[in-house]
Amino acid sequence: MNEELFLTEEQTDALQEITNIAMGRAGAQLAQILDTFIKLSVPRINIIQSSSVSSNILKMIGSKSAATAIRQSFNGSLSGEAMVVYDQHGCRNLADLMGYDGVIDRTSERELLLDVGNVLVGACLNGVADLLGASLVYSAPTIMAENVEVDKLINIKQITWNYALLVEVHFTLEIRDFTCHLLTLMPEESILRLQLAIDAFMEKI
């Protein structure tokens, strides 16, 4: 691996704190929508090879059982892709909290997952971008997989990068058996731009 792609300990600590602040904002928005307290994990940050992306995601999520995921790409000062991974029971718990009665159909379920994912991705990445003085443009969120084993969420053959920064945070609802994971992948060129942005941020504090 090109050593320039590694984050220093100081850069990693700064990015973890920046992500923590941004995720707090995202959690607050979701808590307002669902009217319940949201617990957040400490952000986990790794530089990974394309060949190990599935095993790294599996390790972070900690379960090989079926999951549904949405994806949303972003471009601008930084570029990459965000994924929100829900377990197979997640939608039912969300539907209950958001006032859906009875059985929801597949279209409503997809809309629900896309809406919640869009809130999390937008709030978190906008929070990171604001702190780093970056600007981002987002694609529309799409369903990338439904009821697929976690280690099969990403097709390695479709990956165009060699190395990427992987950041993971998970949200847990206090009153429901619900957890979702927000994963952000930024490829090589974004890692180098991110390092410069983090250094500029650290100089200001």
Side-chain angles (χ1 to χ4, degrees), residues 95-167:
D96 177 40
L97 286 170
M98 294 184 76
Y100 284 82
D101 293 323
V103 178
I104 63 171
D105 60 25
R106 190 174 181 186
T107 299
S108 297
E109 179 177 322
R110 286 180 159 200
E111 288 176 357
L112 184 61
L113 297 179
L114 288 168
D115 286 346
V116 171
N118 195 37
V119 168
L120 293 180
V121 172
C124 179
L125 292 184
N126 283 336
V128 170
D130 288 346
L131 290 166
L132 293 178
S135 60
L136 300 177
V137 178
Y138 302 93
S139 68
T142 59
I143 301 287
M144 66 177 288
E146 292 183 270
N147 295 321
V148 172
E149 289 185 359
V150 168
D151 59 344
K152 294 181 173 62
L153 287 174
I154 292 181
N155 184 349
I156 296 176
K157 294 179 180 178
Q158 295 178 346
I159 292 175
T160 58
W161 45 265
N162 294 313
Y163 295 94
L165 175 73
L166 173 62
V167 180

Side-chain angles (χ1 to χ4, degrees), residues 3 23 39 46-47 61 77 84 88 111 113 126 139 147 160 164 187:
E3 289 189 5
M23 295 307 291
K39 297 180 181 178
N46 285 314
I47 304 289
I61 291 179
S77 305
V84 180
Q88 57 187 333
E111 288 176 357
L113 297 179
N126 283 336
S139 68
N147 295 321
T160 58

